[in-house]
Amino acid sequence: MMIILALIRIHQGKGKNLHVSAGDFGGVPNLFGVCIYAFMCQHSLPSFITPMKSKSHVNLIFVVDFGIILLFYSLLSFSAMFAFDDLLDLYTLNFHAYDPFIHYFLALFPVFTLSTNFPIISVTLRDNLKNLFYRAGHPYPWVIDKIVFPLVTILPPIAVAFATDNLEILVGVTGSYAGTGVQYIIPATLVYFARKQLRELANSYDNKHRSKFRQRSWIFFVLIWAVIGIAFITANHIITRK
């Protein structure tokens, strides 16, 4: 809907001048956080792959999937650049001049998505925390199990929501720090140590579904890239004081 509305706005001549800046290198540091945040879906991949009976076409499926995602992100971004002069951090708020139904629907769309995702993610995080600190033969007391773990899960995001409404810094921080950990550091270290342990147990590692980037150097490249991304976004926050 937002893409169509933006294209209609451009067609009607209400968009900004077509002389859009090709790029702003000052925004490169924050770009790391936004890109990581946009494609932070690695935690969902196992749930997609596991039910597949035949995994021979997994690579092709995900190439097509991510290609379609990139296409829609590109359409959304470029149509926004040419349709509006000053973009608000939350893109859905730029459609306030349209019909009240469209305006309120788009303005509340992030609320709908977060309202459905937040409970699921909170329950998952709570269970992961329980498993992380669990010790065999030592069950949690009722207070720890039913009160402490849920509060530890939901209080930080609620506190952040009350502390700031600056979406730029929120996306930058969550994308660059938490996102880098989820998307780069944790998967790379898991692959490294999993392969190492498998070689110790089976004395070999032969996976017919292994990636073209199976060399160990790619693991270190991902880790180095993560460090560079964190360095860029940290420097940006320090320099701009945002």
Side-chain angles (χ1 to χ4, degrees), residues 142-199:
W142 184 88
V143 174
I144 302 295
D145 186 34
K146 302 298 183 181
I147 297 180
V148 174
F149 277 117
L151 288 178
V152 170
T153 301
I154 64 175
L155 285 182
I158 293 176
V160 171
F162 277 104
T164 180
D165 59 355
N166 189 329
L167 292 179
E168 180 181 357
I169 191 171
L170 285 176
V171 172
V173 170
T174 55
S176 59
Y177 299 113
T180 299
V182 172
Q183 184 164 342
Y184 293 136
I185 298 176
I186 294 177
T189 51
L190 281 176
V191 168
Y192 176 80
F193 287 106
R195 289 177 179 175
K196 181 179 179 181
Q197 185 174 10
L198 187 60
R199 289 191 182 95

Side-chain angles (χ1 to χ4, degrees), residues 17-218:
N17 194 307
L18 295 182
H19 297 289
V20 178
S21 175
D24 181 9
F25 287 101
V28 170
N30 219 35
L31 178 65
F32 280 88
V34 175
C35 291
I36 294 171
Y37 190 84
F39 283 93
M40 191 174 61
C41 60
Q42 267 71 1
H43 61 282
S44 301
L45 294 183
S47 62
F48 291 128
I49 297 176
T50 302
M52 294 182 182
K53 292 183 179 180
S54 175
K55 297 180 174 60
S56 57
H57 301 293
V58 167
N59 292 338
L60 177 61
I61 291 173
F62 281 107
V63 167
V64 174
D65 181 35
F66 277 89
I68 295 174
I69 293 172
L70 178 61
L71 174 63
F72 276 97
Y73 269 128
S74 300
L75 285 174
L76 189 66
S77 301
F78 283 104
S79 61
M81 285 192 299
F82 290 102
F84 300 97
D85 291 318
D86 297 314
L87 286 171
L88 299 174
D89 288 339
L90 186 59
Y91 182 51
T92 56
L93 297 179
N94 290 277
F95 299 89
H96 58 84
Y98 286 83
D99 181 80
F101 173 78
I102 296 176
H103 166 54
Y104 285 111
F105 175 79
L106 292 178
L108 292 173
F109 180 75
V111 179
F112 299 147
T113 56
L114 290 176
S115 298
T116 55
N117 290 334
F118 183 73
I120 299 173
I121 296 174
S122 298
V123 171
T124 303
L125 177 58
R126 182 202 63 187
D127 293 341
N128 289 340
L129 290 175
K130 287 183 179 180
N131 293 330
L132 178 64
F133 295 102
Y134 178 74
R135 296 295 180 269
H138 297 81
Y140 295 116
W142 184 88
V143 174
I144 302 295
D145 186 34
K146 302 298 183 181
I147 297 180
V148 174
F149 277 117
L151 288 178
V152 170
T153 301
I154 64 175
L155 285 182
I158 293 176
V160 171
F162 277 104
T164 180
D165 59 355
N166 189 329
L167 292 179
E168 180 181 357
I169 191 171
L170 285 176
V171 172
V173 170
T174 55
S176 59
Y177 299 113
T180 299
V182 172
Q183 184 164 342
Y184 293 136
I185 298 176
I186 294 177
T189 51
L190 281 176
V191 168
Y192 176 80
F193 287 106
R195 289 177 179 175
K196 181 179 179 181
Q197 185 174 10
L198 187 60
R199 289 191 182 95
E200 293 175 353
L201 295 175
N203 296 322
S204 64
Y205 175 72
D206 185 18
N207 182 4
K208 64 179 181 180
H209 301 298
R210 59 187 178 183
S211 169
K212 301 295 183 181
F213 307 99
R214 58 184 177 272
Q215 292 82 1
R216 184 180 296 182
S217 57
W218 286 105

